[in-house]
mmCIF file of all heavy atoms in Angstrom:
data_model
loop_
_atom_site.group_PDB
_atom_site.id
_atom_site.type_symbol
_atom_site.label_atom_id
_atom_site.label_comp_id
_atom_site.label_asym_id
_atom_site.label_seq_id
_atom_site.Cartn_x
_atom_site.Cartn_y
_atom_site.Cartn_z
ATOM 1 N N TYR B 143 31.331 39.004 -36.652
ATOM 2 C CA TYR B 143 30.960 40.141 -35.887
ATOM 3 C C TYR B 143 30.284 41.175 -36.764
ATOM 4 O O TYR B 143 30.681 41.369 -37.935
ATOM 5 C CB TYR B 143 32.260 40.851 -35.310
ATOM 6 C CG TYR B 143 32.956 40.115 -34.231
ATOM 7 C CD1 TYR B 143 34.266 40.515 -33.792
ATOM 8 C CD2 TYR B 143 32.490 38.957 -33.608
ATOM 9 C CE1 TYR B 143 34.994 39.905 -32.846
ATOM 10 C CE2 TYR B 143 33.191 38.300 -32.595
ATOM 11 C CZ TYR B 143 34.402 38.716 -32.175
ATOM 12 O OH TYR B 143 35.127 38.095 -31.240
ATOM 13 N N LEU B 144 29.277 41.863 -36.237
ATOM 14 C CA LEU B 144 28.639 42.984 -36.916
ATOM 15 C C LEU B 144 29.441 44.187 -36.562
ATOM 16 O O LEU B 144 29.543 44.525 -35.363
ATOM 17 C CB LEU B 144 27.204 43.173 -36.570
ATOM 18 C CG LEU B 144 26.524 44.383 -37.261
ATOM 19 C CD1 LEU B 144 26.558 44.278 -38.737
ATOM 20 C CD2 LEU B 144 25.094 44.547 -36.757
ATOM 21 N N ILE B 145 30.094 44.807 -37.517
ATOM 22 C CA ILE B 145 31.034 45.937 -37.276
ATOM 23 C C ILE B 145 30.326 47.225 -37.839
ATOM 24 O O ILE B 145 29.799 47.254 -38.865
ATOM 25 C CB ILE B 145 32.404 45.705 -37.921
ATOM 26 C CG1 ILE B 145 33.020 44.562 -37.243
ATOM 27 C CG2 ILE B 145 33.268 46.879 -37.880
ATOM 28 C CD1 ILE B 145 34.054 43.855 -38.155
ATOM 29 N N ARG B 146 30.499 48.254 -36.958
ATOM 30 C CA ARG B 146 30.011 49.548 -37.350
ATOM 31 C C ARG B 146 31.229 50.537 -37.227
ATOM 32 O O ARG B 146 31.843 50.600 -36.247
ATOM 33 C CB ARG B 146 28.948 50.029 -36.316
ATOM 34 C CG ARG B 146 28.433 51.446 -36.557
ATOM 35 C CD ARG B 146 27.349 51.781 -35.481
ATOM 36 N NE ARG B 146 26.754 53.026 -35.696
ATOM 37 C CZ ARG B 146 27.176 54.106 -35.104
ATOM 38 N NH1 ARG B 146 28.157 54.146 -34.264
ATOM 39 N NH2 ARG B 146 26.570 55.271 -35.341
ATOM 40 N N LYS B 147 31.502 51.164 -38.383
ATOM 41 C CA LYS B 147 32.555 52.153 -38.387
ATOM 42 C C LYS B 147 32.037 53.559 -38.637
ATOM 43 O O LYS B 147 31.148 53.708 -39.560
ATOM 44 C CB LYS B 147 33.587 51.710 -39.512
ATOM 45 C CG LYS B 147 34.433 50.562 -39.109
ATOM 46 C CD LYS B 147 35.487 50.399 -40.190
ATOM 47 C CE LYS B 147 36.476 49.269 -39.737
ATOM 48 N NZ LYS B 147 37.416 48.920 -40.739
ATOM 49 N N VAL B 148 32.580 54.519 -37.968
ATOM 50 C CA VAL B 148 32.221 55.978 -38.183
ATOM 51 C C VAL B 148 33.383 56.574 -38.856
ATOM 52 O O VAL B 148 34.532 56.501 -38.229
ATOM 53 C CB VAL B 148 31.854 56.586 -36.806
ATOM 54 C CG1 VAL B 148 31.430 57.965 -37.067
ATOM 55 C CG2 VAL B 148 30.686 55.875 -36.175
ATOM 56 N N VAL B 149 33.221 57.158 -39.948
ATOM 57 C CA VAL B 149 34.437 57.701 -40.705
ATOM 58 C C VAL B 149 34.166 59.152 -41.084
ATOM 59 O O VAL B 149 33.084 59.560 -41.490
ATOM 60 C CB VAL B 149 34.572 56.851 -42.022
ATOM 61 C CG1 VAL B 149 35.715 57.398 -42.897
ATOM 62 C CG2 VAL B 149 34.843 55.433 -41.738
ATOM 63 N N ASP B 150 35.220 59.968 -40.806
ATOM 64 C CA ASP B 150 35.144 61.377 -41.236
ATOM 65 C C ASP B 150 36.194 61.393 -42.391
ATOM 66 O O ASP B 150 37.394 61.651 -42.124
ATOM 67 C CB ASP B 150 35.649 62.258 -40.115
ATOM 68 C CG ASP B 150 35.468 63.714 -40.460
ATOM 69 O OD1 ASP B 150 35.047 64.052 -41.570
ATOM 70 O OD2 ASP B 150 35.975 64.534 -39.641
ATOM 71 N N SER B 151 35.777 61.081 -43.596
ATOM 72 C CA SER B 151 36.735 61.022 -44.676
ATOM 73 C C SER B 151 36.975 62.388 -45.312
ATOM 74 O O SER B 151 36.264 63.434 -45.043
ATOM 75 C CB SER B 151 36.115 60.191 -45.808
ATOM 76 O OG SER B 151 35.000 60.763 -46.394
ATOM 77 N N GLY B 152 37.984 62.513 -46.035
ATOM 78 C CA GLY B 152 38.386 63.780 -46.680
ATOM 79 C C GLY B 152 38.789 64.876 -45.596
ATOM 80 O O GLY B 152 39.270 64.548 -44.637
ATOM 81 N N VAL B 153 38.295 66.113 -46.011
ATOM 82 C CA VAL B 153 38.600 67.222 -45.061
ATOM 83 C C VAL B 153 37.729 66.978 -43.794
ATOM 84 O O VAL B 153 36.493 66.600 -43.961
ATOM 85 C CB VAL B 153 38.179 68.542 -45.736
ATOM 86 C CG1 VAL B 153 38.492 69.723 -44.771
ATOM 87 C CG2 VAL B 153 38.947 68.774 -47.054
ATOM 88 N N SER B 154 38.294 67.231 -42.667
ATOM 89 C CA SER B 154 37.481 67.015 -41.359
ATOM 90 C C SER B 154 36.263 67.909 -41.282
ATOM 91 O O SER B 154 36.340 69.071 -41.679
ATOM 92 C CB SER B 154 38.478 67.388 -40.213
ATOM 93 O OG SER B 154 37.783 67.284 -39.058
ATOM 94 N N THR B 155 35.198 67.295 -41.058
ATOM 95 C CA THR B 155 33.839 68.043 -40.980
ATOM 96 C C THR B 155 33.688 68.497 -39.491
ATOM 97 O O THR B 155 33.833 67.740 -38.524
ATOM 98 C CB THR B 155 32.695 67.073 -41.352
ATOM 99 O OG1 THR B 155 33.028 66.486 -42.524
ATOM 100 C CG2 THR B 155 31.423 67.787 -41.419
ATOM 101 N N ASN B 156 33.255 69.797 -39.471
ATOM 102 C CA ASN B 156 32.790 70.255 -38.177
ATOM 103 C C ASN B 156 31.752 71.306 -38.337
ATOM 104 O O ASN B 156 31.536 71.821 -39.415
ATOM 105 C CB ASN B 156 33.976 70.857 -37.373
ATOM 106 C CG ASN B 156 34.720 71.941 -38.125
ATOM 107 O OD1 ASN B 156 34.110 73.023 -38.314
ATOM 108 N ND2 ASN B 156 35.990 71.672 -38.429
ATOM 109 N N LEU B 157 31.104 71.551 -37.220
ATOM 110 C CA LEU B 157 29.847 72.376 -37.288
ATOM 111 C C LEU B 157 30.077 73.917 -37.503
ATOM 112 O O LEU B 157 29.332 74.660 -37.837
ATOM 113 C CB LEU B 157 29.003 72.195 -36.035
ATOM 114 C CG LEU B 157 28.356 70.866 -36.009
ATOM 115 C CD1 LEU B 157 27.660 70.655 -34.564
ATOM 116 C CD2 LEU B 157 27.247 70.718 -36.919
ATOM 117 N N SER B 158 31.450 74.301 -37.244
ATOM 118 C CA SER B 158 31.744 75.736 -37.303
ATOM 119 C C SER B 158 31.762 76.252 -38.720
ATOM 120 O O SER B 158 31.409 77.419 -39.018
ATOM 121 C CB SER B 158 33.020 76.020 -36.513
ATOM 122 O OG SER B 158 33.977 75.118 -37.084
ATOM 123 N N SER B 159 32.254 75.368 -39.712
ATOM 124 C CA SER B 159 32.163 75.830 -40.978
ATOM 125 C C SER B 159 31.572 74.790 -41.931
ATOM 126 O O SER B 159 32.225 74.035 -42.623
ATOM 127 C CB SER B 159 33.660 76.098 -41.496
ATOM 128 O OG SER B 159 34.465 75.070 -41.248
ATOM 129 N N PRO B 160 30.283 74.670 -41.747
ATOM 130 C CA PRO B 160 29.541 73.531 -42.401
ATOM 131 C C PRO B 160 29.592 73.471 -43.909
ATOM 132 O O PRO B 160 29.787 72.364 -44.516
ATOM 133 C CB PRO B 160 28.139 73.726 -41.902
ATOM 134 C CG PRO B 160 27.958 75.100 -41.445
ATOM 135 C CD PRO B 160 29.354 75.488 -40.985
ATOM 136 N N ALA B 161 29.400 74.620 -44.520
ATOM 137 C CA ALA B 161 29.240 74.643 -46.043
ATOM 138 C C ALA B 161 30.521 73.998 -46.676
ATOM 139 O O ALA B 161 30.430 73.368 -47.705
ATOM 140 C CB ALA B 161 28.919 75.857 -46.501
ATOM 141 N N LEU B 162 31.679 74.278 -46.014
ATOM 142 C CA LEU B 162 32.955 73.857 -46.748
ATOM 143 C C LEU B 162 33.217 72.393 -46.541
ATOM 144 O O LEU B 162 33.873 71.895 -47.282
ATOM 145 C CB LEU B 162 34.037 74.717 -46.147
ATOM 146 C CG LEU B 162 34.012 76.215 -46.366
ATOM 147 C CD1 LEU B 162 35.104 76.921 -45.542
ATOM 148 C CD2 LEU B 162 34.231 76.490 -47.875
ATOM 149 N N ASN B 163 32.803 71.861 -45.338
ATOM 150 C CA ASN B 163 33.360 70.545 -45.007
ATOM 151 C C ASN B 163 32.384 69.432 -44.961
ATOM 152 O O ASN B 163 32.508 68.436 -44.343
ATOM 153 C CB ASN B 163 33.930 70.672 -43.587
ATOM 154 C CG ASN B 163 35.038 71.615 -43.532
ATOM 155 O OD1 ASN B 163 35.767 71.843 -44.533
ATOM 156 N ND2 ASN B 163 35.188 72.351 -42.397
ATOM 157 N N SER B 164 31.164 69.722 -45.611
ATOM 158 C CA SER B 164 30.155 68.673 -45.511
ATOM 159 C C SER B 164 30.661 67.267 -45.996
ATOM 160 O O SER B 164 31.347 67.270 -47.045
ATOM 161 C CB SER B 164 28.859 69.072 -46.464
ATOM 162 O OG SER B 164 27.904 68.075 -46.313
ATOM 163 N N GLU B 165 30.465 66.254 -45.241
ATOM 164 C CA GLU B 165 30.921 64.932 -45.635
ATOM 165 C C GLU B 165 30.242 64.342 -46.834
ATOM 166 O O GLU B 165 29.041 64.606 -47.090
ATOM 167 C CB GLU B 165 30.640 63.950 -44.389
ATOM 168 C CG GLU B 165 31.084 62.567 -44.591
ATOM 169 C CD GLU B 165 32.597 62.351 -44.254
ATOM 170 O OE1 GLU B 165 33.309 63.249 -43.971
ATOM 171 O OE2 GLU B 165 32.975 61.113 -44.402
ATOM 172 N N THR B 166 30.965 63.689 -47.693
ATOM 173 C CA THR B 166 30.354 63.176 -48.871
ATOM 174 C C THR B 166 30.392 61.576 -48.767
ATOM 175 O O THR B 166 31.214 61.042 -48.157
ATOM 176 C CB THR B 166 31.053 63.544 -50.212
ATOM 177 O OG1 THR B 166 32.437 63.152 -50.088
ATOM 178 C CG2 THR B 166 30.918 65.028 -50.556
ATOM 179 N N LEU B 167 29.384 60.928 -49.441
ATOM 180 C CA LEU B 167 29.275 59.560 -49.354
ATOM 181 C C LEU B 167 30.559 58.839 -49.984
ATOM 182 O O LEU B 167 30.880 59.179 -51.121
ATOM 183 C CB LEU B 167 28.000 59.029 -50.034
ATOM 184 C CG LEU B 167 27.590 57.586 -49.818
ATOM 185 C CD1 LEU B 167 27.195 57.415 -48.346
ATOM 186 C CD2 LEU B 167 26.317 57.280 -50.659
ATOM 187 N N LEU B 168 31.044 57.902 -49.239
ATOM 188 C CA LEU B 168 32.206 57.118 -49.830
ATOM 189 C C LEU B 168 31.812 56.425 -51.162
ATOM 190 O O LEU B 168 30.670 55.994 -51.309
ATOM 191 C CB LEU B 168 32.624 56.082 -48.836
ATOM 192 C CG LEU B 168 33.409 56.653 -47.517
ATOM 193 C CD1 LEU B 168 33.432 55.542 -46.524
ATOM 194 C CD2 LEU B 168 34.817 57.155 -47.946
ATOM 195 N N ARG B 169 32.719 56.402 -52.042
ATOM 196 C CA ARG B 169 32.522 55.748 -53.353
ATOM 197 C C ARG B 169 32.739 54.278 -53.166
ATOM 198 O O ARG B 169 33.500 53.841 -52.214
ATOM 199 C CB ARG B 169 33.441 56.260 -54.384
ATOM 200 C CG ARG B 169 33.123 57.690 -54.733
ATOM 201 C CD ARG B 169 33.857 58.173 -56.016
ATOM 202 N NE ARG B 169 35.345 57.958 -55.824
ATOM 203 C CZ ARG B 169 36.103 58.908 -55.343
ATOM 204 N NH1 ARG B 169 35.625 59.997 -54.846
ATOM 205 N NH2 ARG B 169 37.410 58.605 -55.167
ATOM 206 N N VAL B 170 32.215 53.434 -54.075
ATOM 207 C CA VAL B 170 32.294 52.011 -53.923
ATOM 208 C C VAL B 170 33.754 51.644 -54.073
ATOM 209 O O VAL B 170 34.205 50.707 -53.377
ATOM 210 C CB VAL B 170 31.441 51.282 -55.121
ATOM 211 C CG1 VAL B 170 31.610 49.805 -54.972
ATOM 212 C CG2 VAL B 170 29.992 51.776 -55.070
ATOM 213 N N SER B 171 34.548 52.331 -54.839
ATOM 214 C CA SER B 171 35.908 52.001 -54.988
ATOM 215 C C SER B 171 36.661 52.295 -53.754
ATOM 216 O O SER B 171 37.703 51.711 -53.484
ATOM 217 C CB SER B 171 36.523 52.825 -56.169
ATOM 218 O OG SER B 171 36.317 54.201 -55.864
#
Side-chain angles (χ1 to χ4, degrees):
Chain B
Y143 290 173
L144 175 63
I145 295 161
R146 177 180 183 267
K147 283 184 172 177
V148 181
V149 176
D150 186 3
S151 68
V153 180
S154 176
T155 306
N156 59 62
L157 289 170
S158 55
S159 52
L162 295 171
N163 300 327
S164 183
E165 179 82 357
T166 54
L167 193 65
L168 289 166
R169 293 189 303 276
V170 184
S171 57

